[in-house]
Amino acid sequence: MPIVTYRDALNQALREEMQRDDRVFLMGEEVAVYQGAYKVSKGLLQEFGEMRVVDTPITELGFAGIGVGAAMVGLRPVIEFMTWNFALLAIDQVVNAAAKMLYMSGGQYNIPMVFRGPNGAALQLSAQHSQAFESWLAHIPGLKVVSPGNPYDAKGLLKAAIRDDNPVIMFEGEMMYNMKGEVPDEEYIIPIGKGDLKREGDHCTIVTYGKSINLALQVADAMAKDGIRLDVIDLRSIRPIDTEMIAASVRKTNRAVVLEEGWEFCGVGAQIVDYIQRDCFDELDAPVVRVHQADVPMPYARNLEKLAKPDMNKTIAAVKKVMYLP
Amino acid sequence: MARKKTDAPADPGLGATDAAQRRDLLRSMLLQRRFEERCAEAYALGRIGGFCHLYIGQEACGTGIISMLRPDDYVITTYRDHGQALARGISARAVMAELFGRSDGCARGKGGSMHLFDRNTNFLGGHGIVGGHVPIGTGVGFAIKYRGGDQVIACFMGESVVNTGAFHEALNMAGLWKLPVVYIIENNRYGMGTALERASAIHDIYQRGAAYDMPRGVVDGQDVLAVRKAMGEAIHRARTESMPTLLEVRTYRFMGHSMSDAVSGTYRTKAELEEYMQRDPINVLRAHMETQGEIDDTRMAALDDEVKAEVQDAWDFAEASPEPAPESLWEDVLVETTT
């Protein structure tokens, strides 16, 4: 099977969907002439022309709204944010417009569009460029939210997002664009809302999504050397969320750790813990433990940034805690 | 109207009307007036809840603009949307039922006063965030150009919108990309209780179009025939050259901002209000028609009776319409994907 980077997997998804449906267009800062701030859109301007691969001024609120309007009348925009940090300038269009239009129009105007871009921390980008916003968007009824953690899922989920008739938020990651993985030549779609059990074990469950899945897999491999077998759930979609997969796993392992990049307070992990206590209260052998970013703005200094982020040691410690291991 | 960057001569007949069209315009404005008066009554009686923003005094603006559109053109507007919805041809029944929060409303009771929508007439909504719909309307213009059509979109807004970032961002792209959007600033002088002069660094706000290299102009918003003419030129430019226009329509709101504030006495004087009310848009058109011998007191009274009956019918229809079914609470959050 071909080995492809995360960025090229996204590029393939965009190209294939734009070939398949001429209503699909890509819009954002530096997506066309510059070929994408992270080169996700490399070659697309040359193939599809400037009406379908559209460079915008630096105007997040404006071009997000252009997308909403175009979607209202039948186009299928893919709006790229250079990072989700910048998308805060566009939050009115995402939350007040895209997520609400179908409902407040009494079902007359759906919004088939994708908002996508990198989310969460990279390396030493400090407070304004290192935030994970999935809990903000997943909070909103009317949106779907996906966060693929490898090239295969990135391609399959982006294709699903583009074909979805609702607004879909896609969280990528600067640190993943170079990540390589198997991506088949034949077409595939990954259904939104379905998790992927990436490791099977019976001692403890780790529930995570997005970039953090790679950390969780490292933890599982390391702990396997000590005979600790982990179920590792990659949710892939945050909304809708695969509660059945979470419940089935926790009923088996009776223990869970929830891992996310973002902050603790009102984080996605809090919602997952709520699902676990609703569905698996009697099966739990220990309180669920969460691993997340320290509750501070991201610092610049390398040592402080490392302290702030989830890592292997913190995650292993969490697993040991729920297993009552020393 | 100030013209820029375009030499194509507009048809001088654009916006011209015959007697039958003038009667239709008068009837439309009168319907809006009587409808809004009954809305005030319904609000006082608790039939209408939430926020409710009346269009009384501004009818010539929406009526004149929308009367120039084709059925396949688009309209998008703010939360002060009842008059434009009626002008666009959404039935008084469907609008009133929406205001009453009933299942036969034009948004099935989900939107209310601020969010009237109708796919049949390409009425893309009343929107509740000041300025938020301006990029959306611009996106509709983008879609028209993308598909190579010759439709236009009329994007209404109040004058307070010009101070938002959304306005600037959207108009910059419309000017940059030459999108077939007509931006209509309904300058009713006040953003809620803040006078234009206390909110905008410049007072001839159509001149803001200069920053976007956009054709622009100003028109008397109490004269529906003048509004039509200005809109005719703007539409011509949009259809034939894919050029946007910024059109300032100077009007006045005869009622409060919404239902909770005094009509005068706080941010504007009674004398000012009364002075502006001298130029009631319905009377302006009626006076013109009288000089043409097209209307007299008897015919005006008959027309008034006709629209009052239509509004009463809308009220009765709305009251009889069932409340939305409880299960509809969960409908229309997401749509089932079919592809």
Side-chain angles (χ1 to χ4, degrees):
Chain A
M1 200 180 291
I3 303 297
V4 172
T5 61
Y6 191 98
R7 91 159 37 81
D8 288 340
L10 293 170
N11 182 277
Q12 287 179 9
L14 286 166
R15 173 174 281 111
E16 288 172 17
E17 293 306 301
M18 290 177 74
Q19 286 169 344
R20 176 179 178 270
D21 186 345
D22 61 14
R23 298 170 300 174
V24 178
F25 68 93
L26 175 68
M27 176 176 277
E29 293 156 3
E30 309 291 0
V31 299
V33 172
Y34 194 84
Q35 306 281 293
Y38 296 100
K39 306 300 173 205
V40 168
S41 53
K42 190 175 180 184
L44 298 182
L45 171 66
Q46 287 69 23
E47 180 169 348
F48 297 103
E50 61 186 13
M51 201 72 218
R52 297 187 66 196
V53 184
V54 186
D55 275 332
T56 66
I58 297 175
T59 180
E60 278 82 8
L61 175 62
F63 67 74
I66 297 255
V68 174
M72 272 189 96
V73 296
L75 299 186
R76 303 183 81 88
V78 178
I79 298 297
E80 177 174 310
F81 293 122
M82 198 180 291
T83 100
W84 276 96
N85 298 281
F86 306 164
L88 291 196
L89 291 158
I91 199 102
D92 175 58
Q93 291 299 336
V94 180
V95 173
N96 280 323
K100 303 294 191 292
M101 206 69 75
L102 181 70
Y103 200 82
M104 69 183 183
S105 70
Q108 294 177 86
Y109 288 101
N110 66 306
I111 304 294
M113 70 184 297
V114 179
F115 297 100
R116 50 159 288 270
N119 177 59
L123 282 177
Q124 286 194 278
L125 297 180
S126 189
Q128 292 183 333
H129 284 72
S130 304
Q131 301 169 93
F133 287 110
E134 56 272 22
S135 68
W136 289 43
L137 281 305
H139 187 61
I140 308 296
L143 300 176
K144 295 185 179 182
V145 180
V146 301
S147 184
N150 62 49
Y152 178 84
D153 291 342
K155 181 174 179 182
L157 280 170
L158 181 53
K159 287 170 73 85
I162 291 170
R163 293 187 195 188
D164 203 283
D165 289 336
N166 300 286
V168 181
I169 307 296
M170 184 149 158
F171 290 115
E172 302 160 11
E174 281 108 316
M175 301 299 285
M176 286 193 291
Y177 287 126
N178 279 334
M179 175 188 185
K180 289 180 179 166
E182 290 186 335
V183 174
D185 286 327
E186 60 271 20
E187 173 157 269
Y188 65 96
I189 300 280
I190 293 178
I192 294 173
K194 294 290 178 200
D196 183 25
L197 187 60
K198 284 207 160 60
R199 288 278 194 286
E200 286 199 53
D202 52 359
H203 289 147
C204 178
T205 301
I206 297 183
V207 184
T208 190
Y209 55 87
K211 190 192 308 173
S212 301
I213 186 62
N214 302 296
L215 173 58
L217 293 175
Q218 288 170 21
V219 167
D221 292 343
M223 297 191 86
K225 290 172 187 156
D226 297 326
I228 296 169
R229 299 183 297 271
L230 300 178
D231 249 14
V232 180
I233 294 177
D234 181 357
L235 289 169
R236 302 194 293 196
S237 297
I238 300 165
R239 187 181 182 116
I241 192 165
D242 195 342
T243 53
E244 287 178 18
M245 179 173 282
I246 297 169
S249 173
V250 176
R251 285 189 188 117
K252 177 178 66 175
T253 64
N254 311 111
R255 301 166 198 276
V257 167
V258 182
L259 167 63
E260 66 189 306
E261 268 195 280
W263 291 296
E264 174 181 27
F265 198 91
C266 299
V268 171
Q271 184 64 35
I272 295 169
V273 172
D274 180 54
Y275 285 124
I276 292 173
Q277 65 87 20
R278 277 191 237 178
D279 295 341
C280 309
F281 186 78
D282 290 331
E283 283 97 341
L284 280 177
D285 285 345
V288 180
V289 171
R290 293 175 60 194
V291 182
H292 45 77
Q293 186 191 325
D295 196 21
V296 297
M298 190 65 84
Y300 165 73
R302 189 182 296 263
N303 66 319
L304 294 180
E305 185 185 46
K306 187 172 184 317
L307 283 172
K309 289 175 168 177
D311 63 14
M312 276 191 67
N313 288 338
K314 291 171 192 170
T315 311
I316 288 171
V319 173
K320 287 183 172 173
K321 186 172 181 185
V322 297
M323 293 183 68
Y324 299 114
L325 293 172
Chain B
M1 178 182 326
R3 296 277 304 280
K4 279 202 79 272
K5 292 263 173 195
T6 170
D7 299 319
D11 176 353
L14 287 171
T17 49
D18 59 24
Q21 288 171 309
R22 286 189 286 275
R23 186 206 174 266
D24 289 347
L25 294 168
L26 185 67
R27 188 186 190 285
S28 178
M29 291 198 291
L30 202 54
L31 174 67
Q32 293 167 49
R33 178 68 55 90
R34 298 303 178 221
F35 186 94
E36 295 290 61
E37 289 169 352
R38 295 302 302 277
C39 284
E41 181 189 339
Y43 196 87
L45 292 171
R47 300 286 204 290
I48 299 174
F51 294 135
C52 183
H53 310 84
L54 302 182
Y55 203 53
I56 293 174
Q58 304 180 213
E59 295 93 340
C61 179
T63 308
I65 296 292
I66 290 170
S67 70
M68 295 300 294
L69 297 174
R70 294 193 320 221
D72 65 336
D73 290 331
Y74 297 96
V75 176
I76 193 165
T77 187
T78 71
Y79 45 80
R80 195 179 302 284
D81 56 354
H82 308 173
Q84 292 147 359
L86 295 171
R88 186 57 174 162
I90 309 179
S91 74
R93 284 182 164 195
V95 176
M96 194 66 90
E98 186 61 33
L99 303 184
F100 279 35
R102 301 302 172 93
S103 58
D104 293 305
C106 59
R108 299 177 63 207
K110 294 279 187 68
S113 167
M114 296 188 285
H115 307 300
L116 303 174
F117 285 82
D118 181 40
R119 195 176 250 293
N120 294 324
T121 57
N122 281 349
F123 196 84
L124 299 173
H127 294 264
I129 310 298
V130 172
H133 70 292
V134 180
I136 299 173
T138 306
V140 174
F142 177 86
I144 293 167
K145 187 158 187 167
Y146 186 97
R147 292 190 295 231
D150 73 340
Q151 297 147 292
V152 305
I153 174 161
C155 179
F156 288 91
M157 70 199 83
E159 85 291 336
S160 62
V161 168
V162 305
N163 304 310
T164 67
F167 172 87
H168 165 65
E169 295 191 17
L171 269 73
N172 179 56
M173 282 185 281
L176 180 69
W177 295 338
K178 310 230 180 306
L179 303 179
V181 185
V182 183
Y183 298 97
I184 300 117
I185 299 170
E186 289 188 274
N187 177 3
N188 68 14
R189 305 269 300 105
Y190 295 93
M192 209 164 157
T194 302
L196 165 67
E197 293 78 10
R198 298 177 58 228
S200 175
I202 65 168
H203 304 158
D204 283 328
I205 50 184
Y206 67 95
Q207 294 291 13
R208 294 206 183 215
Y212 316 111
D213 196 25
M214 190 179 292
R216 54 200 175 272
V218 59
V219 65
D220 174 7
Q222 303 309 87
D223 180 351
V224 69
L225 302 179
V227 172
R228 276 178 59 86
K229 188 168 184 329
M231 184 61 177
E233 290 184 20
I235 289 178
H236 179 78
R237 208 158 27 238
R239 285 207 210 288
T240 61
E241 303 171 56
S242 190
M243 282 291 284
T245 295
L246 179 60
L247 181 60
E248 178 185 348
V249 183
R250 289 188 177 161
T251 182
Y252 198 81
R253 152 161 67 69
F254 291 178
M255 306 295 285
H257 166 73
S258 64
M259 303 307 295
S260 58
D261 56 322
V263 175
S264 65
T266 49
Y267 56 89
R268 62 184 184 185
T269 64
K270 191 158 184 278
E272 179 190 303
L273 176 66
E274 286 172 350
E275 185 188 334
Y276 274 99
M277 287 176 79
Q278 298 300 310
R279 293 203 74 237
D280 185 312
I282 294 173
N283 291 340
V284 170
L285 178 60
R286 177 183 171 173
H288 174 79
M289 291 172 67
E290 279 173 351
T291 64
Q292 306 292 313
E294 295 165 10
I295 193 110
D296 56 24
D297 288 349
T298 308
R299 277 184 282 178
M300 188 68 186
L303 193 61
D304 202 21
D305 288 344
E306 186 183 313
V307 299
K308 281 178 175 169
E310 185 173 341
V311 176
Q312 182 62 49
D313 169 74
W315 180 302
D316 295 341
F317 174 83
E319 203 149 62
S321 173
E323 289 182 327
E327 57 268 27
S328 73
L329 174 68
W330 303 101
E331 295 169 358
D332 307 322
V333 179
L334 295 169
V335 67
E336 195 74 30
T337 294
T338 51
T339 47

